[in-house]
Amino acid sequence: MIGYYVHHQGLGHLTRLQAIAEHLRAPVTGISSLPAPEGWASDWLHLDRDDRMPAAEVTGADPTAGGVLHWVPRHDLGLAGRVAALTAWVARTRPSLVVVDVSVEVTALLRLCGVPVVVVAMPGERTDRPHALAYDLADALLAPWPEAAHATAWHPDRRAKLWAVGGISRFDGRVPPSRRPSVGPATRRVLVLWGGGGRSTSAAEVAAARAATPGWEWVERGPGSPSPDLWSELASADVVVTHGGQNAVAEVAAARRPAVVVAQPRPFDEQVATAAAVDRLGVAVGVPTWPLASAWPGLLERALGRGGEGWRRWSTSHGAAAAAARLDELADEHGRVVHDVRTAS
């Protein structure tokens, strides 16, 4: 059996679990302080939140334990409960492995329990002590991006256990939509995608970009305005303007659409790194922050010029299946060990 821990921030971690779980042979238990997603048919271990302390008290509670960890504020009411629930679950079920997406503290706790851990490797500047601890403890590092995007300067020891499967999308396996025929510049469409982790770009900035590009129709989708059919909307977009979250980028990549990837502020410059990578690899236009309105006509034309076929270097269209196959293989290996230990005892 495989466990899969999902961080509560944003929606991307949960979406990735669902995409991978569809391809797993092994039974999977979701683990999170989030509720199980709609339609989830497997087991779900619900954990206490670890951020119940009032924000005004966090600084004085040494939340990083002197820089050794990311989030362990003293006397937070949720920490002990989640640790107790997780360790009890490990003792009861003896999982073959657990995927952690993402938490340094959960990684360390599981490894202290003797559980093999696969850590989802995230973009950005991850050379701090806590990330080094998690990556060093991991049996494998699952990267939902191509190796050339972020790992070229990694230490050989980490690259040796890296599974760079490329983008992981709920649209993996679908045939990318054909470019719709253009019937004139007035019909060109921009699809703007926002994520669940928040945005720094204001409505006024988007309105200014729209006003600066009179030949384009702009449609926004996000938490406040979900798409009724995102795949169809991707197919009808001439250019997609998306935040730099891993899942949004993977979905644009699966659809092979011309794109401008605009980084939104995130810890460790995660989205800045992704925007830089897609630009460097030539798969899309990437920018570190929302550009001035005057820059948008040129950016949209640059994206059209690059086209969408370059996304093949980012997404194989079977990233979720590849990740599941690697997880099943490792679970089989460690499952035999668990069986032998149980038999011997």
Side-chain angles (χ1 to χ4, degrees), residues 122-154:
M122 302 296 284
E125 185 57 49
R126 309 281 174 171
T127 57
D128 56 285
R129 289 175 67 189
H131 273 109
L133 173 64
Y135 286 9
D136 290 343
L137 288 174
D139 286 63
L141 299 169
L142 173 60
W145 32 264
E147 186 170 352
H150 305 294
T152 53
W154 279 20

Side-chain angles (χ1 to χ4, degrees), residues 221-234:
R221 297 300 185 200
S225 178
S227 172
D229 184 348
L230 182 57
W231 185 253
S232 294
E233 290 201 303
L234 286 167

Side-chain angles (χ1 to χ4, degrees), residues 28-203:
V28 59
T29 296
I31 305 166
S32 183
S33 55
L34 292 171
E38 184 178 354
W40 181 259
S42 300
D43 291 337
W44 192 267
L45 176 65
H46 188 265
L47 303 179
D48 287 347
R49 296 273 297 216
D50 62 358
D51 57 356
R52 294 165 60 184
M53 177 176 290
E57 299 177 16
V58 168
T59 301
D62 187 18
T64 67
V68 177
L69 298 169
H70 280 155
W71 188 256
V72 284
R74 293 190 186 101
H75 307 301
D76 185 279
L77 296 176
L79 286 174
R82 64 194 277 115
V83 168
L86 189 51
T87 53
W89 173 81
V90 168
R92 183 174 68 254
T93 65
R94 300 291 297 274
S96 299
L97 64 88
V98 176
V99 182
V100 179
D101 186 4
V102 285
S103 167
V104 172
E105 295 74 32
V106 171
T107 298
L109 176 64
L110 289 166
R111 193 63 188 87
L112 283 168
C113 291
V115 178
V117 181
V118 175
V119 173
V120 175
M122 302 296 284
E125 185 57 49
R126 309 281 174 171
T127 57
D128 56 285
R129 289 175 67 189
H131 273 109
L133 173 64
Y135 286 9
D136 290 343
L137 288 174
D139 286 63
L141 299 169
L142 173 60
W145 32 264
E147 186 170 352
H150 305 294
T152 53
W154 279 20
H155 190 279
D157 289 347
R158 288 193 185 151
R159 290 186 73 172
K161 57 183 178 181
L162 178 68
W163 301 346
V165 300
I168 293 175
S169 168
R170 57 183 157 166
F171 299 138
D172 279 352
R174 296 195 189 186
V175 176
S178 300
R179 179 76 176 270
R180 68 186 180 94
S182 178
V183 296
T187 66
R188 295 191 296 181
R189 178 176 298 175
V190 177
L191 175 65
V192 184
L193 301 180
W194 300 113
R199 54 187 272 193
S200 63
T201 302
S202 68

